Amino acid sequence: MNFDGDPTIEELANSLNDDWADEALADRSSGDEMIGPVIVNWRDISDEDRPEACRALADWVQDWLVPRYALSVKVIPDCWYAHPAMLEELSALHAAWIVAFDEADGGYGPIGWHERWALARTRDAFREKCAEKHRDDRTREMPAAPDTF
């Protein structure tokens, strides 16, 4: 409903500055620099970007997460990176951890991260594996889907 003098939706949309998104993102900073991209798509990551993403995740898992929470090898085995589902879960948790401590967070990020961590630990990726020695995950190959379904 448009009252006399009130702008229409189209007028409001047209009045937005084209770079409003850049300004909004600039507010999501940690110190002087923006947090930057934190999500890693392991399926499509380039060979060029992979080493840095691997090192960042390994540093977080091995130098912070495991020692900070005194996690046993039954929770995160030494060969965690060789288990695709665990790698995906830990990568998602790492991204959530980074943004949980963003200055723009309203204060719920850290507790939200802990809730996500608790939930993640109940999933299959964190079922006890490789406590004694590395065991490859079971795999399954799917038959091709029909062209139309």
Side-chain angles (χ1 to χ4, degrees):
M1 178 182 241
N2 184 12
F3 298 100
D4 290 337
D6 288 342
T8 65
I9 297 287
E10 292 80 20
E11 291 169 332
L12 286 171
N14 291 333
S15 71
L16 290 174
N17 188 338
D18 287 343
D19 60 358
W20 69 271
D22 292 337
E23 291 175 20
L25 287 173
D27 289 341
R28 294 192 57 78
S29 63
S30 186
D32 294 334
E33 295 183 26
M34 290 199 40
I35 286 178
V38 296
I39 298 170
V40 177
N41 180 342
W42 293 100
R43 178 180 179 192
D44 296 330
I45 193 168
S46 70
D47 291 341
E48 181 182 328
D49 292 338
R50 190 175 190 85
E52 183 180 345
C54 289
R55 184 77 269 140
L57 182 58
D59 288 348
W60 183 75
V61 171
Q62 295 171 195
D63 297 341
W64 186 82
L65 182 66
V66 169
R68 182 66 166 182
Y69 293 92
L71 300 173
S72 76
V73 71
K74 290 181 179 183
V75 176
I76 298 183
D78 294 345
C79 55
W80 60 270
Y81 50 84
H83 299 280
M86 182 173 279
L87 181 129
E88 294 286 351
E89 291 274 1
L90 289 169
S91 184
L93 286 164
H94 181 224
W97 180 81
I98 290 170
V99 298
F101 293 95
D102 185 320
E103 288 179 1
D105 180 74
Y108 296 104
I111 194 65
W113 182 85
H114 283 91
E115 291 166 348
R116 287 173 176 84
W117 169 233
L119 182 60
R121 288 181 62 179
T122 68
R123 292 195 282 264
D124 284 344
F126 289 97
R127 298 283 186 252
E128 184 177 326
K129 338 175 167 247
C130 307
E132 304 289 322
K133 66 178 185 153
H134 176 70
R135 294 180 311 236
D136 290 332
D137 292 339
R138 289 186 352 201
T139 60
R140 176 180 170 206
E141 292 197 26
M142 295 284 294
D147 291 337
T148 58
F149 52 90

PDB file of all heavy atoms in Angstrom, residues 95-126:
ATOM      1  N   ALA A  95      35.576 -22.770   9.141  1.00  0.00           N
ATOM      2  CA  ALA A  95      34.961 -21.566   8.576  1.00  0.00           C
ATOM      3  C   ALA A  95      33.997 -20.935   9.580  1.00  0.00           C
ATOM      4  O   ALA A  95      34.002 -19.713   9.788  1.00  0.00           O
ATOM      5  CB  ALA A  95      34.234 -21.905   7.274  1.00  0.00           C
ATOM      6  N   ALA A  96      33.196 -21.762  10.236  1.00  0.00           N
ATOM      7  CA  ALA A  96      32.256 -21.239  11.238  1.00  0.00           C
ATOM      8  C   ALA A  96      32.991 -20.624  12.417  1.00  0.00           C
ATOM      9  O   ALA A  96      32.558 -19.616  12.978  1.00  0.00           O
ATOM     10  CB  ALA A  96      31.327 -22.359  11.712  1.00  0.00           C
ATOM     11  N   TRP A  97      34.111 -21.208  12.793  1.00  0.00           N
ATOM     12  CA  TRP A  97      34.909 -20.683  13.912  1.00  0.00           C
ATOM     13  C   TRP A  97      35.476 -19.306  13.562  1.00  0.00           C
ATOM     14  O   TRP A  97      35.442 -18.389  14.375  1.00  0.00           O
ATOM     15  CB  TRP A  97      36.026 -21.672  14.245  1.00  0.00           C
ATOM     16  CG  TRP A  97      36.897 -21.256  15.372  1.00  0.00           C
ATOM     17  CD1 TRP A  97      36.640 -21.386  16.704  1.00  0.00           C
ATOM     18  CD2 TRP A  97      38.180 -20.643  15.279  1.00  0.00           C
ATOM     19  NE1 TRP A  97      37.685 -20.891  17.441  1.00  0.00           N
ATOM     20  CE2 TRP A  97      38.645 -20.424  16.593  1.00  0.00           C
ATOM     21  CE3 TRP A  97      38.973 -20.252  14.206  1.00  0.00           C
ATOM     22  CZ2 TRP A  97      39.868 -19.829  16.852  1.00  0.00           C
ATOM     23  CZ3 TRP A  97      40.203 -19.665  14.472  1.00  0.00           C
ATOM     24  CH2 TRP A  97      40.635 -19.460  15.779  1.00  0.00           C
ATOM     25  N   ILE A  98      35.969 -19.156  12.327  1.00  0.00           N
ATOM     26  CA  ILE A  98      36.528 -17.865  11.909  1.00  0.00           C
ATOM     27  C   ILE A  98      35.474 -16.769  11.984  1.00  0.00           C
ATOM     28  O   ILE A  98      35.702 -15.718  12.573  1.00  0.00           O
ATOM     29  CB  ILE A  98      37.130 -17.961  10.491  1.00  0.00           C
ATOM     30  CG1 ILE A  98      38.395 -18.817  10.524  1.00  0.00           C
ATOM     31  CG2 ILE A  98      37.438 -16.570   9.942  1.00  0.00           C
ATOM     32  CD1 ILE A  98      38.941 -19.179   9.150  1.00  0.00           C
ATOM     33  N   VAL A  99      34.303 -17.009  11.419  1.00  0.00           N
ATOM     34  CA  VAL A  99      33.283 -15.960  11.415  1.00  0.00           C
ATOM     35  C   VAL A  99      32.631 -15.789  12.785  1.00  0.00           C
ATOM     36  O   VAL A  99      32.082 -14.727  13.074  1.00  0.00           O
ATOM     37  CB  VAL A  99      32.228 -16.168  10.307  1.00  0.00           C
ATOM     38  CG1 VAL A  99      32.866 -16.113   8.942  1.00  0.00           C
ATOM     39  CG2 VAL A  99      31.450 -17.441  10.498  1.00  0.00           C
ATOM     40  N   ALA A 100      32.717 -16.794  13.643  1.00  0.00           N
ATOM     41  CA  ALA A 100      32.144 -16.667  14.990  1.00  0.00           C
ATOM     42  C   ALA A 100      32.843 -15.577  15.791  1.00  0.00           C
ATOM     43  O   ALA A 100      32.259 -15.008  16.708  1.00  0.00           O
ATOM     44  CB  ALA A 100      32.238 -17.994  15.741  1.00  0.00           C
ATOM     45  N   PHE A 101      34.085 -15.285  15.432  1.00  0.00           N
ATOM     46  CA  PHE A 101      34.847 -14.283  16.170  1.00  0.00           C
ATOM     47  C   PHE A 101      35.029 -12.991  15.381  1.00  0.00           C
ATOM     48  O   PHE A 101      35.873 -12.165  15.707  1.00  0.00           O
ATOM     49  CB  PHE A 101      36.190 -14.871  16.608  1.00  0.00           C
ATOM     50  CG  PHE A 101      35.987 -15.958  17.629  1.00  0.00           C
ATOM     51  CD1 PHE A 101      35.926 -17.285  17.249  1.00  0.00           C
ATOM     52  CD2 PHE A 101      35.785 -15.640  18.960  1.00  0.00           C
ATOM     53  CE1 PHE A 101      35.698 -18.289  18.182  1.00  0.00           C
ATOM     54  CE2 PHE A 101      35.554 -16.628  19.899  1.00  0.00           C
ATOM     55  CZ  PHE A 101      35.510 -17.956  19.505  1.00  0.00           C
ATOM     56  N   ASP A 102      34.211 -12.792  14.382  1.00  0.00           N
ATOM     57  CA  ASP A 102      34.193 -11.559  13.611  1.00  0.00           C
ATOM     58  C   ASP A 102      33.666 -10.439  14.509  1.00  0.00           C
ATOM     59  O   ASP A 102      32.731 -10.641  15.285  1.00  0.00           O
ATOM     60  CB  ASP A 102      33.269 -11.758  12.400  1.00  0.00           C
ATOM     61  CG  ASP A 102      33.262 -10.586  11.445  1.00  0.00           C
ATOM     62  OD1 ASP A 102      33.279  -9.430  11.900  1.00  0.00           O
ATOM     63  OD2 ASP A 102      33.227 -10.835  10.238  1.00  0.00           O
ATOM     64  N   GLU A 103      34.252  -9.262  14.399  1.00  0.00           N
ATOM     65  CA  GLU A 103      33.807  -8.115  15.215  1.00  0.00           C
ATOM     66  C   GLU A 103      32.350  -7.759  14.975  1.00  0.00           C
ATOM     67  O   GLU A 103      31.698  -7.198  15.849  1.00  0.00           O
ATOM     68  CB  GLU A 103      34.675  -6.895  14.913  1.00  0.00           C
ATOM     69  CG  GLU A 103      36.071  -6.991  15.454  1.00  0.00           C
ATOM     70  CD  GLU A 103      36.909  -5.766  15.110  1.00  0.00           C
ATOM     71  OE1 GLU A 103      36.393  -4.831  14.465  1.00  0.00           O
ATOM     72  OE2 GLU A 103      38.079  -5.746  15.495  1.00  0.00           O
ATOM     73  N   ALA A 104      31.840  -8.073  13.779  1.00  0.00           N
ATOM     74  CA  ALA A 104      30.453  -7.737  13.466  1.00  0.00           C
ATOM     75  C   ALA A 104      29.460  -8.692  14.128  1.00  0.00           C
ATOM     76  O   ALA A 104      28.265  -8.436  14.119  1.00  0.00           O
ATOM     77  CB  ALA A 104      30.244  -7.738  11.947  1.00  0.00           C
ATOM     78  N   ASP A 105      29.958  -9.782  14.702  1.00  0.00           N
ATOM     79  CA  ASP A 105      29.070 -10.732  15.360  1.00  0.00           C
ATOM     80  C   ASP A 105      28.442 -10.085  16.585  1.00  0.00           C
ATOM     81  O   ASP A 105      29.097  -9.347  17.315  1.00  0.00           O
ATOM     82  CB  ASP A 105      29.852 -11.988  15.778  1.00  0.00           C
ATOM     83  CG  ASP A 105      28.953 -12.999  16.457  1.00  0.00           C
ATOM     84  OD1 ASP A 105      28.174 -13.634  15.739  1.00  0.00           O
ATOM     85  OD2 ASP A 105      29.002 -13.107  17.688  1.00  0.00           O
ATOM     86  N   GLY A 106      27.189 -10.387  16.814  1.00  0.00           N
ATOM     87  CA  GLY A 106      26.461  -9.809  17.934  1.00  0.00           C
ATOM     88  C   GLY A 106      26.727 -10.483  19.268  1.00  0.00           C
ATOM     89  O   GLY A 106      26.103 -10.161  20.270  1.00  0.00           O
ATOM     90  N   GLY A 107      27.639 -11.434  19.313  1.00  0.00           N
ATOM     91  CA  GLY A 107      27.962 -12.102  20.559  1.00  0.00           C
ATOM     92  C   GLY A 107      27.507 -13.536  20.634  1.00  0.00           C
ATOM     93  O   GLY A 107      27.830 -14.259  21.563  1.00  0.00           O
ATOM     94  N   TYR A 108      26.756 -13.976  19.626  1.00  0.00           N
ATOM     95  CA  TYR A 108      26.263 -15.345  19.621  1.00  0.00           C
ATOM     96  C   TYR A 108      27.171 -16.295  18.845  1.00  0.00           C
ATOM     97  O   TYR A 108      26.984 -17.501  18.888  1.00  0.00           O
ATOM     98  CB  TYR A 108      24.848 -15.408  19.025  1.00  0.00           C
ATOM     99  CG  TYR A 108      23.856 -14.658  19.865  1.00  0.00           C
ATOM    100  CD1 TYR A 108      23.389 -13.410  19.480  1.00  0.00           C
ATOM    101  CD2 TYR A 108      23.398 -15.202  21.056  1.00  0.00           C
ATOM    102  CE1 TYR A 108      22.481 -12.717  20.262  1.00  0.00           C
ATOM    103  CE2 TYR A 108      22.486 -14.513  21.837  1.00  0.00           C
ATOM    104  CZ  TYR A 108      22.038 -13.272  21.439  1.00  0.00           C
ATOM    105  OH  TYR A 108      21.158 -12.588  22.207  1.00  0.00           O
ATOM    106  N   GLY A 109      28.123 -15.772  18.111  1.00  0.00           N
ATOM    107  CA  GLY A 109      29.000 -16.599  17.287  1.00  0.00           C
ATOM    108  C   GLY A 109      29.731 -17.672  18.062  1.00  0.00           C
ATOM    109  O   GLY A 109      29.686 -18.847  17.680  1.00  0.00           O
ATOM    110  N   PRO A 110      30.412 -17.317  19.150  1.00  0.00           N
ATOM    111  CA  PRO A 110      31.166 -18.347  19.868  1.00  0.00           C
ATOM    112  C   PRO A 110      30.284 -19.471  20.422  1.00  0.00           C
ATOM    113  O   PRO A 110      30.628 -20.640  20.283  1.00  0.00           O
ATOM    114  CB  PRO A 110      31.860 -17.563  20.982  1.00  0.00           C
ATOM    115  CG  PRO A 110      32.040 -16.192  20.392  1.00  0.00           C
ATOM    116  CD  PRO A 110      30.771 -15.972  19.601  1.00  0.00           C
ATOM    117  N   ILE A 111      29.160 -19.137  21.000  1.00  0.00           N
ATOM    118  CA  ILE A 111      28.302 -20.206  21.527  1.00  0.00           C
ATOM    119  C   ILE A 111      27.679 -20.987  20.372  1.00  0.00           C
ATOM    120  O   ILE A 111      27.525 -22.205  20.454  1.00  0.00           O
ATOM    121  CB  ILE A 111      27.228 -19.682  22.516  1.00  0.00           C
ATOM    122  CG1 ILE A 111      26.609 -20.841  23.299  1.00  0.00           C
ATOM    123  CG2 ILE A 111      26.150 -18.888  21.819  1.00  0.00           C
ATOM    124  CD1 ILE A 111      27.551 -21.555  24.218  1.00  0.00           C
ATOM    125  N   GLY A 112      27.367 -20.295  19.297  1.00  0.00           N
ATOM    126  CA  GLY A 112      26.852 -20.979  18.112  1.00  0.00           C
ATOM    127  C   GLY A 112      27.868 -21.957  17.558  1.00  0.00           C
ATOM    128  O   GLY A 112      27.511 -23.066  17.139  1.00  0.00           O
ATOM    129  N   TRP A 113      29.147 -21.558  17.564  1.00  0.00           N
ATOM    130  CA  TRP A 113      30.185 -22.469  17.094  1.00  0.00           C
ATOM    131  C   TRP A 113      30.247 -23.712  17.975  1.00  0.00           C
ATOM    132  O   TRP A 113      30.334 -24.830  17.482  1.00  0.00           O
ATOM    133  CB  TRP A 113      31.555 -21.789  17.047  1.00  0.00           C
ATOM    134  CG  TRP A 113      32.569 -22.732  16.508  1.00  0.00           C
ATOM    135  CD1 TRP A 113      32.849 -22.953  15.193  1.00  0.00           C
ATOM    136  CD2 TRP A 113      33.364 -23.660  17.251  1.00  0.00           C
ATOM    137  NE1 TRP A 113      33.774 -23.953  15.083  1.00  0.00           N
ATOM    138  CE2 TRP A 113      34.122 -24.411  16.328  1.00  0.00           C
ATOM    139  CE3 TRP A 113      33.530 -23.939  18.600  1.00  0.00           C
ATOM    140  CZ2 TRP A 113      35.014 -25.407  16.713  1.00  0.00           C
ATOM    141  CZ3 TRP A 113      34.419 -24.930  18.984  1.00  0.00           C
ATOM    142  CH2 TRP A 113      35.149 -25.646  18.041  1.00  0.00           C
ATOM    143  N   HIS A 114      30.179 -23.520  19.284  1.00  0.00           N
ATOM    144  CA  HIS A 114      30.226 -24.672  20.193  1.00  0.00           C
ATOM    145  C   HIS A 114      29.019 -25.591  20.003  1.00  0.00           C
ATOM    146  O   HIS A 114      29.137 -26.810  20.117  1.00  0.00           O
ATOM    147  CB  HIS A 114      30.350 -24.209  21.651  1.00  0.00           C
ATOM    148  CG  HIS A 114      31.733 -23.785  21.978  1.00  0.00           C
ATOM    149  ND1 HIS A 114      32.154 -22.479  21.843  1.00  0.00           N
ATOM    150  CD2 HIS A 114      32.806 -24.486  22.387  1.00  0.00           C
ATOM    151  CE1 HIS A 114      33.427 -22.402  22.177  1.00  0.00           C
ATOM    152  NE2 HIS A 114      33.851 -23.611  22.505  1.00  0.00           N
ATOM    153  N   GLU A 115      27.863 -25.020  19.696  1.00  0.00           N
ATOM    154  CA  GLU A 115      26.686 -25.846  19.415  1.00  0.00           C
ATOM    155  C   GLU A 115      26.902 -26.657  18.135  1.00  0.00           C
ATOM    156  O   GLU A 115      26.559 -27.842  18.083  1.00  0.00           O
ATOM    157  CB  GLU A 115      25.443 -24.965  19.294  1.00  0.00           C
ATOM    158  CG  GLU A 115      25.027 -24.359  20.627  1.00  0.00           C
ATOM    159  CD  GLU A 115      24.012 -23.235  20.490  1.00  0.00           C
ATOM    160  OE1 GLU A 115      23.768 -22.751  19.358  1.00  0.00           O
ATOM    161  OE2 GLU A 115      23.477 -22.816  21.531  1.00  0.00           O
ATOM    162  N   ARG A 116      27.472 -26.018  17.129  1.00  0.00           N
ATOM    163  CA  ARG A 116      27.753 -26.725  15.881  1.00  0.00           C
ATOM    164  C   ARG A 116      28.800 -27.815  16.086  1.00  0.00           C
ATOM    165  O   ARG A 116      28.714 -28.891  15.519  1.00  0.00           O
ATOM    166  CB  ARG A 116      28.210 -25.738  14.803  1.00  0.00           C
ATOM    167  CG  ARG A 116      27.071 -24.902  14.283  1.00  0.00           C
ATOM    168  CD  ARG A 116      27.555 -23.814  13.353  1.00  0.00           C
ATOM    169  NE  ARG A 116      26.467 -23.072  12.784  1.00  0.00           N
ATOM    170  CZ  ARG A 116      25.857 -22.059  13.376  1.00  0.00           C
ATOM    171  NH1 ARG A 116      26.232 -21.682  14.593  1.00  0.00           N
ATOM    172  NH2 ARG A 116      24.876 -21.430  12.784  1.00  0.00           N
ATOM    173  N   TRP A 117      29.805 -27.527  16.902  1.00  0.00           N
ATOM    174  CA  TRP A 117      30.852 -28.503  17.195  1.00  0.00           C
ATOM    175  C   TRP A 117      30.244 -29.721  17.892  1.00  0.00           C
ATOM    176  O   TRP A 117      30.523 -30.853  17.539  1.00  0.00           O
ATOM    177  CB  TRP A 117      31.929 -27.845  18.034  1.00  0.00           C
ATOM    178  CG  TRP A 117      32.955 -28.739  18.654  1.00  0.00           C
ATOM    179  CD1 TRP A 117      33.291 -28.781  19.973  1.00  0.00           C
ATOM    180  CD2 TRP A 117      33.806 -29.704  18.018  1.00  0.00           C
ATOM    181  NE1 TRP A 117      34.281 -29.714  20.186  1.00  0.00           N
ATOM    182  CE2 TRP A 117      34.614 -30.294  19.000  1.00  0.00           C
ATOM    183  CE3 TRP A 117      33.942 -30.144  16.706  1.00  0.00           C
ATOM    184  CZ2 TRP A 117      35.548 -31.293  18.722  1.00  0.00           C
ATOM    185  CZ3 TRP A 117      34.871 -31.136  16.423  1.00  0.00           C
ATOM    186  CH2 TRP A 117      35.666 -31.692  17.422  1.00  0.00           C
ATOM    187  N   ALA A 118      29.387 -29.485  18.864  1.00  0.00           N
ATOM    188  CA  ALA A 118      28.748 -30.592  19.582  1.00  0.00           C
ATOM    189  C   ALA A 118      27.891 -31.427  18.628  1.00  0.00           C
ATOM    190  O   ALA A 118      27.918 -32.662  18.680  1.00  0.00           O
ATOM    191  CB  ALA A 118      27.902 -30.054  20.734  1.00  0.00           C
ATOM    192  N   LEU A 119      27.157 -30.782  17.755  1.00  0.00           N
ATOM    193  CA  LEU A 119      26.326 -31.503  16.794  1.00  0.00           C
ATOM    194  C   LEU A 119      27.191 -32.273  15.800  1.00  0.00           C
ATOM    195  O   LEU A 119      26.899 -33.431  15.487  1.00  0.00           O
ATOM    196  CB  LEU A 119      25.404 -30.535  16.061  1.00  0.00           C
ATOM    197  CG  LEU A 119      24.434 -31.141  15.064  1.00  0.00           C
ATOM    198  CD1 LEU A 119      23.502 -32.125  15.753  1.00  0.00           C
ATOM    199  CD2 LEU A 119      23.638 -30.053  14.376  1.00  0.00           C
ATOM    200  N   ALA A 120      28.244 -31.671  15.317  1.00  0.00           N
ATOM    201  CA  ALA A 120      29.117 -32.335  14.343  1.00  0.00           C
ATOM    202  C   ALA A 120      29.692 -33.616  14.916  1.00  0.00           C
ATOM    203  O   ALA A 120      29.806 -34.625  14.212  1.00  0.00           O
ATOM    204  CB  ALA A 120      30.239 -31.391  13.913  1.00  0.00           C
ATOM    205  N   ARG A 121      30.034 -33.601  16.172  1.00  0.00           N
ATOM    206  CA  ARG A 121      30.658 -34.779  16.782  1.00  0.00           C
ATOM    207  C   ARG A 121      29.714 -35.968  16.862  1.00  0.00           C
ATOM    208  O   ARG A 121      30.151 -37.088  17.083  1.00  0.00           O
ATOM    209  CB  ARG A 121      31.206 -34.437  18.161  1.00  0.00           C
ATOM    210  CG  ARG A 121      32.442 -33.550  18.043  1.00  0.00           C
ATOM    211  CD  ARG A 121      33.036 -33.208  19.347  1.00  0.00           C
ATOM    212  NE  ARG A 121      33.492 -34.395  20.066  1.00  0.00           N
ATOM    213  CZ  ARG A 121      34.071 -34.352  21.243  1.00  0.00           C
ATOM    214  NH1 ARG A 121      34.279 -33.188  21.834  1.00  0.00           N
ATOM    215  NH2 ARG A 121      34.457 -35.451  21.842  1.00  0.00           N
ATOM    216  N   THR A 122      28.420 -35.756  16.664  1.00  0.00           N
ATOM    217  CA  THR A 122      27.467 -36.869  16.686  1.00  0.00           C
ATOM    218  C   THR A 122      27.325 -37.526  15.320  1.00  0.00           C
ATOM    219  O   THR A 122      26.706 -38.577  15.211  1.00  0.00           O
ATOM    220  CB  THR A 122      26.068 -36.407  17.151  1.00  0.00           C
ATOM    221  OG1 THR A 122      25.489 -35.547  16.164  1.00  0.00           O
ATOM    222  CG2 THR A 122      26.145 -35.704  18.503  1.00  0.00           C
ATOM    223  N   ARG A 123      27.877 -36.906  14.282  1.00  0.00           N
ATOM    224  CA  ARG A 123      27.707 -37.437  12.929  1.00  0.00           C
ATOM    225  C   ARG A 123      28.756 -38.505  12.616  1.00  0.00           C
ATOM    226  O   ARG A 123      29.778 -38.607  13.263  1.00  0.00           O
ATOM    227  CB  ARG A 123      27.745 -36.292  11.923  1.00  0.00           C
ATOM    228  CG  ARG A 123      26.526 -35.389  12.054  1.00  0.00           C
ATOM    229  CD  ARG A 123      26.370 -34.500  10.851  1.00  0.00           C
ATOM    230  NE  ARG A 123      27.277 -33.370  10.847  1.00  0.00           N
ATOM    231  CZ  ARG A 123      26.976 -32.148  11.272  1.00  0.00           C
ATOM    232  NH1 ARG A 123      25.787 -31.914  11.784  1.00  0.00           N
ATOM    233  NH2 ARG A 123      27.846 -31.185  11.200  1.00  0.00           N
ATOM    234  N   ASP A 124      28.471 -39.262  11.565  1.00  0.00           N
ATOM    235  CA  ASP A 124      29.322 -40.390  11.175  1.00  0.00           C
ATOM    236  C   ASP A 124      30.780 -40.022  10.963  1.00  0.00           C
ATOM    237  O   ASP A 124      31.659 -40.827  11.219  1.00  0.00           O
ATOM    238  CB  ASP A 124      28.786 -41.047   9.900  1.00  0.00           C
ATOM    239  CG  ASP A 124      27.567 -41.906  10.166  1.00  0.00           C
ATOM    240  OD1 ASP A 124      27.322 -42.239  11.344  1.00  0.00           O
ATOM    241  OD2 ASP A 124      26.863 -42.237   9.194  1.00  0.00           O
ATOM    242  N   ALA A 125      31.052 -38.817  10.489  1.00  0.00           N
ATOM    243  CA  ALA A 125      32.439 -38.427  10.220  1.00  0.00           C
ATOM    244  C   ALA A 125      33.300 -38.543  11.467  1.00  0.00           C
ATOM    245  O   ALA A 125      34.507 -38.768  11.378  1.00  0.00           O
ATOM    246  CB  ALA A 125      32.507 -37.005   9.674  1.00  0.00           C
ATOM    247  N   PHE A 126      32.691 -38.400  12.641  1.00  0.00           N
ATOM    248  CA  PHE A 126      33.448 -38.438  13.885  1.00  0.00           C
ATOM    249  C   PHE A 126      33.285 -39.743  14.650  1.00  0.00           C
ATOM    250  O   PHE A 126      33.668 -39.829  15.809  1.00  0.00           O
ATOM    251  CB  PHE A 126      33.074 -37.246  14.776  1.00  0.00           C
ATOM    252  CG  PHE A 126      33.591 -35.952  14.230  1.00  0.00           C
ATOM    253  CD1 PHE A 126      32.777 -35.130  13.485  1.00  0.00           C
ATOM    254  CD2 PHE A 126      34.908 -35.574  14.438  1.00  0.00           C
ATOM    255  CE1 PHE A 126      33.251 -33.940  12.960  1.00  0.00           C
ATOM    256  CE2 PHE A 126      35.396 -34.393  13.925  1.00  0.00           C
ATOM    257  CZ  PHE A 126      34.570 -33.572  13.176  1.00  0.00           C
TER     258      PHE A 126
END
